Amino acid sequence: MKNPLLPILLACFTIGSCFSQTFKITGKVINTENEVLPFANILLLNAVDSTFVKGTSASENGFFELTEIQPDLYLLQASYIGKGSKPLALDIRKDIALGALVVPTVSENLDEVVVTARRPTVQRLSDRLVFNVENTVVSQGNSWDILKSTPGVIVNQNDLQIRGQNATVYLNDRKVQLSGQEVQDLLQGLTGTAIKSIEVIANPPARYDAEGGPILNIVTSKSIVPGYKGSVNGSLTQAVFPKFSLGTSHYYKTDKLNFFANYSINPRKELKKGREGINFRDNTNSVFSVWDISSQEIIRTQAHSGTFILDYDFDEKNSLNFTSNIAVNPNQRREKLIDTEIKNSQNVIDSTFTTDNAVSKDNTNLAFDLSYTTKLGKEGSQLSFNGHYTNYDEGFAQRIDSRYFNNNQSFFRDFGFTTNSDQNIQIFTGQIDYATPIGNASFESGLKISSIHSENEIDYFNFSGSSTTVDETLSDNFLYDEKVYAGYVSFVKNREKWSMKLGLRGELTEAEGVSRTLNQVNNQDFFQAFPSIYLLYTASEKHSFAFDYGRKVERPRYNDLNPFRFFINENNFEEGNLTLRPNFSHNFNFNYTFDSEFFVDFYYRDNGEFISRRLVFQNNENQTLRSSKQNVLESTSYGLDFTLSKSIFSAWSIYTYLSLFYEDETFLAEESGNQPFTNELEGYYLYFGNYFNFSKDGTLTGELSLTHFSNYLFGSYIQSPTTTLNVGFRKTLWQNRAVVSVGAEDLLRKANPRYTSQYLNQDNFYRTRFETQFIRVGFTYNFGNFRLQDNKRGIDKKERDRLNEE
C-alpha cells in the first residue's frame, strides 16, 4: 500500500518557517596578569534566578563563542579552576562582541552565583510540563527517585503513570525501549546530578510516534569543560533479603570528542507472598466451591547494564553521535510454592493440592543508535539522520509439579509438565528530521520507518499424570512482522502572549501475526492521520492558560497477540489473543497556571476500543482462572489535577499533587454468556513531598513524602486503597566529591493493595506482597578533573533504543 501523504511530507523538507531570532556572544578570557586562560568555563545564567542556560569552553587561545541565544536578560561569567569572573549583566537583543572576561587570581567562587541547593521549579510550556531539578535538593537522588517525585506522575506498584496511563521513558528525546524492570535498573544507576530537567508530556506532539501514550523525557546537563571525570556508586538495601548494587561511570571530553561509559550490576533476591480466593458459582449463582490459595515465591536476578556514548563534532556545523546499551540478565530463577485448599459450600475442606512452579530465564538486550546532525546555511536550520538496531533474545524454561490430596490428606494423584520457550526480536528504525526558523515561527518535518521481526517458539513436554487444561498440542511457533512508515509536519507560531503549535502525523502500518499450530493469521494494514494542536495564552506574568488535543493509536503488542499459555498451575494461566485490533483514542487537556507555583489540569480521554490487558475470567464449570487480553467495547477517562510547588521557608519547599479521576471499561464478560459489563470507579491520588535543606551550604538535605491512592481500575479488578510513607537524607562530603544517602520506604507497610473482581457470576480476588518496606544506604564518590565539580556529566546527544514491552 502506498502512503498518499508521502509526496507532501517529502515536499515539507523544502519549506521554511520559523524559530524566534537568536544571537551570539563572543569574547576572550584572561586573568589579572593579562594571561590567556585556555579551556576556561563560560556560563550563561538566567538573570532572575541564576539558573544555568548555556555553557561552553574557551579555546586554547582563550576565545569563546555562545550561539543561538534567545533575547532576554542574562548573567555571563567565566570560571577557571574554581575561581570566577565578576558576573556581567547582559540584555541580549543583538550579537555582542565583548572584550575580555577577567578571572582574578584570588577572587569569588563560582558557587556565589550558582546556588547548589535551591528548590526545584515547575514550568508550563505549550505541550509539556518541565520539572527543573538541576542543582536542587531533588537532584541528589538517582534518576528513578526523581521520576517518582515529579509533579503529575503517579507511581502505582512501580509503574510510572500520567493521567491513568503508563508513561514511556525517554532519555534526551530518545525512547528507552527496555522492559519495565530494565528501565528501573538503568535509571537507578544514573545519578540525579546528571539531570537538568524532567519533561512531562501528557499528550505528545506530532514528532513523536502516534503510539506510546504519555512521555517522561529526562534531559541531562552538558559538561562544558575538557577533561576527565568518573564516579563509583553503590547501595545496600535491607528488606526481607539484603540486596546491593554497584556501578561506575566515566566521562572524558576534548574540544571535539565527548565520551561516556557506564556499567552497573544489580543482583537481587526477593520474596513475594500472595493470597488468592475464588468462589465458583453454579447456574443459580450460588457458591458451590471455595478455593483458598496462598503462595510464596523467591526471585533471584542479576541484572548487568552498560551504556557507551560517543559524540564527535567535526566542525561547528556537523556532529556525530553513537550510543549503545547492553542489558544482560542471566540465570534468573523463580521458585514458587502454591498451596490450595478446596472447600465446599459449607466451608468444609474437600481436598488440597500443592504446586511447585520453577522458572529459569536468560535475556539479553543489545541496542545500537547512530545519529548525524548538520546545521544548514540559515541560522537555526538543521538536518538530522538517525538509525537504530535492537536485538533481544530470551530463553525461558519452566517446570510445574502438582500433588493432590483428599480431605484426610491422603495422596491420590499428581500432574506435571515442562515448558521451554525461545524468543528473538529484531528492530530496525531509520529517521530523518528537518527544522528551519523564519521570523518568530518555526517549521519542523520528518520521515521514519520502523521494522520489527519477532519469532517465538514454545514446547510442552515431560508430561506426568493427566489434566483437562494442559496438553501437548499447546506447543506452537508464533511469528510477528511489523512495518510502520511515518511522516510528520509541525508548525510553531509565537506572538506576544500567544503560542501555537500545530502538528500532523501520518502512519502506514503493515503487520502480520501467524500461529503455525493454530493455523491462524492476524493482519493489520491501515493508514491513519494523527492531528495535534497546542495553544498557550500568557495573560500576565502570573496567569497562563493552555489547551491541547491529540489523536493516538495503540497497536497490539506481539506478546499480546501470541496465543501461548503461561501457567501458574494447571488451573490458573495467562494467554494471548490473536484477534486483537489496534484502537484509536482522542485526548483533550485544559490547563491553568498561577505564578509558576499552582497548576490546575482538566483532561478527558476517549479511549475507544482500548486493549485491556488485565481481564481475568473464572470458568465455573471447569474451575479454572484465565487471564486474557481483549478489545473492550468502549472506555473513557477524565480527571481534575491540582499541583502546588511552593517554598515555605528558605530551607523547606513542598510539592503537592492531587488527582481526582474517573475511569470505565465496558468489556465482554467471556465466562458470563459474553454479556457486556462496565467496570467503573471514581478515585483520587495524593502525593505530598517535603524537601529540606538542613545546612547553609546545601550539603545536608532531606525529604519526606506521603502517597495515598484511594483505589484504581485494573481491567476486571478494582484495586484497594494504598498509602506509602518514605523518608530520606543525603550528605555531600569533601567538596562535593562524595555523597552518602540513607532512605526508608513504606514505613506504614500499606503499599501493597488487594485486587477484587465481583460481578455477574465472577467472584475472585488476589493480593501480592512485594518487598516494598526497606532501608537503603547509598554512597557515591566522584574522582578525576576537579574543575568539573560544578558541571554535570551528561549524555549529550540523542539517546537509546527501542523495544516493545512484554
Side-chain angles (χ1 to χ4, degrees):
M1 177 183 293
K2 293 185 178 180
N3 186 337
L5 288 186
L6 190 58
I8 300 175
L9 296 172
L10 287 170
C12 290
F13 285 100
T14 63
I15 302 176
S17 290
C18 53
F19 284 95
S20 56
Q21 189 173 3
T22 59
F23 304 99
K24 66 179 179 180
I25 304 173
T26 57
K28 186 178 182 180
V29 185
I30 61 174
N31 61 16
T32 49
E33 282 74 37
N34 203 31
E35 297 172 335
V36 169
L37 297 181
F39 309 123
N41 289 355
I42 312 299
L43 299 178
L44 187 67
L45 310 173
N46 191 301
V48 177
D49 56 8
S50 296
T51 54
F52 177 82
V53 176
K54 183 171 291 212
T56 188
S57 56
S59 67
E60 294 182 4
N61 299 320
F63 290 99
F64 68 88
E65 181 180 77
L66 287 168
T67 61
E68 298 183 10
I69 302 172
Q70 298 289 338
D72 208 340
L73 295 174
Y74 299 98
L75 296 175
L76 183 69
Q77 185 177 45
S79 68
Y80 190 75
I81 315 182
K83 302 176 179 63
S85 65
K86 181 178 295 186
L88 177 64
L90 297 174
D91 185 2
I92 303 299
R93 295 291 182 269
K94 61 180 181 179
D95 292 342
I96 294 180
L98 299 172
L101 294 176
V102 181
V103 178
T105 304
V106 178
S107 185
E108 63 270 17
N109 190 280
L110 179 63
D111 288 342
E112 293 179 4
V113 176
V114 182
V115 181
T116 61
R118 67 177 190 275
R119 74 181 182 95
T121 60
V122 181
Q123 180 184 9
R124 168 74 67 188
L125 302 181
S126 61
D127 61 351
R128 66 196 64 192
L129 194 72
V130 181
F131 185 42
N132 297 295
V133 300
E134 188 176 25
N135 293 324
T136 69
V137 173
V138 179
S139 68
Q140 297 304 306
N142 60 50
S143 302
W144 182 255
D145 293 333
I146 295 174
L147 287 182
K148 286 166 51 176
S149 61
T150 297
V153 176
I154 291 175
V155 182
N156 188 16
Q157 301 296 297
N158 280 335
D159 286 336
L160 300 172
Q161 299 180 337
I162 299 173
R163 295 172 182 169
Q165 293 181 296
N166 285 346
T168 301
V169 176
Y170 277 60
L171 193 55
N172 289 328
D173 228 19
R174 280 292 175 198
K175 193 174 184 179
V176 180
Q177 287 273 17
L178 301 172
S179 68
Q181 186 59 52
E182 288 173 337
V183 170
Q184 186 173 343
D185 292 339
L186 172 69
L187 298 179
Q188 285 178 338
L190 180 62
T191 174
T193 57
I195 295 180
K196 179 181 179 182
S197 61
I198 305 294
E199 297 179 344
V200 182
I201 312 174
N203 189 11
R207 74 179 306 270
Y208 296 97
D209 292 340
E211 183 181 18
I215 288 172
L216 284 171
N217 184 36
I218 302 172
V219 181
T220 59
S221 307
K222 272 197 173 184
S223 193
I224 58 175
V225 298
Y228 165 78
K229 183 177 181 180
S231 69
V232 292
N233 61 80
S235 67
L236 177 64
T237 302
Q238 181 60 58
V240 176
F241 297 115
K243 306 164 184 62
F244 74 91
S245 65
L246 292 173
T248 180
S249 298
H250 302 271
Y251 178 77
Y252 178 73
K253 176 180 170 63
T254 67
D255 285 343
K256 292 181 176 291
L257 178 70
N258 290 267
F259 169 80
F260 171 77
N262 170 269
Y263 167 76
S264 63
I265 180 173
N266 190 14
R268 303 176 71 84
K269 180 182 179 182
E270 296 180 291
L271 175 67
K272 188 168 69 173
K273 291 186 176 182
R275 184 70 184 273
E276 188 172 358
I278 312 171
N279 293 322
F280 290 106
R281 297 178 177 272
D282 58 23
N283 293 334
T284 65
N285 210 28
S286 299
V287 175
F288 71 90
S289 184
V290 178
W291 290 36
D292 189 359
I293 306 165
S294 61
S295 64
Q296 181 169 296
E297 183 176 15
I298 294 179
I299 305 168
R300 293 177 173 87
T301 59
Q302 185 167 291
H304 302 260
S305 178
T307 302
F308 174 89
I309 299 172
L310 182 68
D311 296 321
Y312 187 78
D313 297 326
F314 296 98
D315 51 41
E316 293 182 354
K317 292 187 175 181
N318 299 281
S319 61
L320 184 73
N321 165 259
F322 173 76
T323 299
S324 65
N325 177 264
I326 298 175
V328 180
N329 201 339
N331 301 318
Q332 301 174 59
R333 297 290 184 269
R334 305 173 74 101
E335 300 171 357
K336 188 171 187 178
L337 178 63
I338 308 170
D339 293 313
T340 303
E341 286 186 348
I342 302 176
K343 302 176 183 178
N344 59 27
S345 58
Q346 286 75 43
N347 206 32
V348 176
I349 294 179
D350 281 336
S351 61
T352 65
F353 69 96
T354 62
T355 302
D356 289 318
N357 186 336
V359 172
S360 61
K361 185 165 63 173
D362 299 273
N363 57 44
T364 301
N365 187 334
L366 307 177
F368 306 93
D369 196 279
L370 184 66
S371 296
Y372 176 79
T373 301
T374 180
K375 296 180 181 178
L376 305 179
K378 185 176 183 179
E379 177 115 9
S381 296
Q382 70 174 36
L383 190 64
S384 60
F385 305 86
N386 175 261
H388 176 81
Y389 171 69
T390 284
N391 189 305
Y392 181 86
D393 274 299
E394 180 177 275
F396 173 93
Q398 180 184 35
R399 176 67 193 178
I400 291 180
D401 288 295
S402 295
R403 293 172 58 85
Y404 290 79
F405 305 86
N406 58 26
N407 57 4
N408 61 8
Q409 292 301 301
S410 297
F411 169 79
F412 66 90
R413 77 176 181 94
D414 62 1
F415 176 72
F417 64 96
T418 302
T419 305
N420 277 353
S421 174
D422 291 293
Q423 183 176 47
N424 176 259
I425 302 167
Q426 297 191 54
I427 301 172
F428 299 87
T429 69
Q431 184 165 344
I432 179 172
D433 297 281
Y434 170 69
T436 185
I438 296 176
N440 63 349
S442 67
F443 175 83
E444 191 178 35
S445 61
L447 296 172
K448 180 179 179 180
I449 180 173
S450 64
S451 174
I452 298 172
H453 174 74
S454 172
E455 184 168 355
N456 195 348
E457 296 181 0
I458 190 167
D459 293 303
Y460 295 85
F461 55 97
N462 289 339
F463 283 85
S464 61
S466 63
S467 172
T468 59
T469 58
V470 186
D471 58 66
E472 297 183 26
T473 62
L474 292 171
S475 298
D476 199 359
N477 187 353
F478 182 73
L479 302 176
Y480 181 79
D481 288 282
E482 175 187 286
K483 288 184 174 60
V484 178
Y485 308 89
Y488 75 92
V489 292
S490 179
F491 178 79
V492 179
K493 177 73 173 179
N494 296 307
R495 303 189 66 178
E496 182 178 354
K497 292 187 176 183
W498 285 91
S499 176
M500 178 184 68
K501 185 172 185 176
L502 303 176
L504 178 64
R505 186 179 184 92
E507 292 191 353
L508 172 66
T509 301
E510 298 174 348
E512 181 182 71
V514 179
S515 170
R516 290 182 173 175
T517 298
L518 299 178
N519 197 26
Q520 293 181 353
V521 178
N522 179 295
N523 285 308
Q524 302 173 45
D525 191 353
F526 62 90
F527 175 83
Q528 291 285 334
F530 303 94
S532 60
I533 180 173
Y534 304 86
L535 298 173
L536 176 64
Y537 175 65
T538 305
S540 64
E541 291 183 359
K542 292 189 175 183
H543 303 275
S544 66
F545 302 86
F547 169 80
D548 63 79
Y549 161 76
R551 185 173 186 255
K552 299 298 178 183
V553 63
E554 182 183 24
R555 301 178 183 87
R557 301 170 186 166
Y558 31 78
N559 283 325
D560 292 342
L561 293 166
N562 192 332
F564 296 173
R565 286 183 175 181
F566 173 77
F567 286 88
I568 309 301
N569 57 41
E570 56 266 37
N571 297 89
N572 190 343
F573 55 88
E574 303 174 10
E575 65 180 7
N577 181 358
L578 197 58
T579 66
L580 291 176
R581 307 176 306 277
N583 77 280
F584 303 91
S585 63
H586 298 272
N587 303 268
F588 300 86
N589 305 292
F590 178 77
N591 321 106
Y592 166 70
T593 301
F594 174 74
D595 202 23
S596 294
E597 290 186 339
F598 182 63
F599 303 84
V600 180
D601 300 89
F602 172 77
Y603 69 90
Y604 175 83
R605 189 169 63 246
D606 178 359
N607 300 306
E609 295 181 346
F610 171 70
I611 301 175
S612 182
R613 298 179 174 88
R614 302 181 185 274
L615 297 176
V616 177
F617 303 106
Q618 64 185 62
N619 184 311
N620 290 300
E621 181 178 354
N622 295 332
Q623 298 185 45
T624 59
L625 203 64
R626 172 175 57 91
S627 176
S628 184
K629 286 83 175 174
Q630 182 190 117
N631 284 97
V632 302
L633 300 178
E634 59 182 353
S635 173
T636 57
S637 309
Y638 55 84
L640 189 62
D641 297 349
F642 303 89
T643 305
L644 176 64
S645 162
K646 185 74 174 178
S647 282
I648 307 301
F649 303 109
S650 60
W652 177 25
S653 61
I654 64 169
Y655 276 102
T656 300
Y657 173 56
L658 173 63
S659 178
L660 310 174
F661 58 84
Y662 168 85
E663 303 271 343
D664 70 50
E665 291 183 20
T666 301
F667 58 89
L668 287 178
E670 295 179 357
E671 296 294 345
S672 307
N674 281 325
Q675 298 181 58
F677 176 78
T678 300
N679 204 16
E680 60 183 333
L681 64 81
E682 297 175 348
Y684 67 92
Y685 174 91
L686 172 66
Y687 174 81
F688 182 49
N690 300 265
Y691 305 99
F692 304 97
N693 185 1
F694 297 113
S695 60
K696 291 183 178 181
D697 59 1
T699 60
L700 179 61
T701 61
E703 61 181 82
L704 177 68
S705 66
L706 176 70
T707 303
H708 181 73
F709 219 152
S710 66
N711 46 26
Y712 197 67
L713 187 67
F714 267 62
S716 55
Y717 286 97
I718 300 293
Q719 174 188 305
S720 68
T722 61
T723 303
T724 306
L725 179 64
N726 301 334
V727 63
F729 300 92
R730 296 179 179 89
K731 173 66 176 176
T732 59
L733 306 167
W734 310 321
Q735 296 181 295
N736 293 329
R737 281 197 179 273
V739 178
V740 178
S741 63
V742 179
E745 297 196 7
D746 192 16
L747 296 178
L748 303 178
R749 199 174 174 79
K750 293 184 177 181
N752 292 298
R754 171 179 166 136
Y755 298 88
T756 303
S757 180
Q758 288 182 322
Y759 67 92
L760 302 176
N761 64 347
Q762 303 288 293
D763 187 357
N764 60 84
F765 79 90
Y766 74 92
R767 183 175 187 176
T768 304
R769 286 193 174 275
F770 299 90
E771 294 186 20
T772 54
Q773 187 177 66
F774 60 81
I775 296 176
R776 176 177 293 146
V777 179
F779 178 77
T780 300
Y781 180 74
N782 300 303
F783 52 86
N785 190 337
F786 196 67
R787 289 180 298 171
L788 297 177
Q789 65 174 340
D790 294 316
N791 304 288
K792 305 298 180 288
R793 167 189 50 75
I795 300 172
D796 297 323
K797 301 295 183 180
K798 293 183 177 181
E799 170 68 351
R800 298 303 294 156
D801 48 12
R802 185 170 182 261
L803 174 69
N804 279 351
E805 295 180 0
E806 297 182 9

